[in-house]
Amino acid sequence: MLYGIALMGKTYYNVRCFVMKKTYALENLDCANCARKMEEAIRRIDGVQDAQVNFLTQKMTVSAEEADFAAIMKQVVKVCRRVEPDCSIIL
C-alpha cells in the first residue's frame, strides 16, 4: 500500500510494510549467553523488527518484513551458526 502525505506543497510517500512473526524450535542451544548473542546478532539484520531467543524453552521468535522473510531467515540461520555452531533451527 502506498500512502501520500502533503506538507507545505510537497507530497511525501510512505510504503507500508507488513510484518510476519514466526516461532521456531531450537536444538542444542547450550547456554543462555549464546542465546543472548544470537538474539543481538539477529536484531542487527536488515528487515528484522524484533527477535527473541529463549534458552529455557529452546525457542526463537523472529518478526520481520513479510516480503523478504525467506531471505531474512537464511541470514538468521547463518548468524546463528556463527554464534553457536551446534545449534539447529527447526524451520
Side-chain angles (χ1 to χ4, degrees):
M1 294 182 177
L2 191 63
Y3 296 97
I5 300 171
L7 295 173
M8 298 180 68
K10 294 184 181 179
T11 303
Y12 298 92
Y13 291 96
N14 183 15
V15 178
R16 183 176 177 193
C17 0
F18 294 96
V19 176
M20 182 182 287
K21 181 178 181 179
K22 287 193 175 184
T23 301
Y24 300 96
L26 300 173
E27 287 184 349
N28 301 323
L29 181 59
D30 295 332
C31 68
N33 187 44
C34 293
R36 181 189 57 81
K37 288 179 182 178
M38 286 171 60
E39 188 174 292
E40 289 174 355
I42 294 167
R43 285 183 178 163
R44 282 186 246 132
I45 296 172
D46 287 337
V48 173
Q49 304 292 323
D50 190 30
Q52 297 170 345
V53 179
N54 190 315
F55 169 68
L56 293 176
T57 62
Q58 298 281 302
K59 294 192 183 217
M60 171 181 66
T61 303
V62 178
S63 299
E65 296 173 7
E66 184 177 22
D68 299 328
F69 202 82
I72 289 169
M73 283 310 298
K74 286 181 183 179
Q75 291 179 334
V76 168
V77 170
K78 286 180 186 178
V79 164
C80 290
R81 280 204 186 116
R82 203 173 319 132
V83 173
E84 180 67 63
D86 295 331
C87 183
S88 299
I89 301 170
I90 310 303
L91 297 175

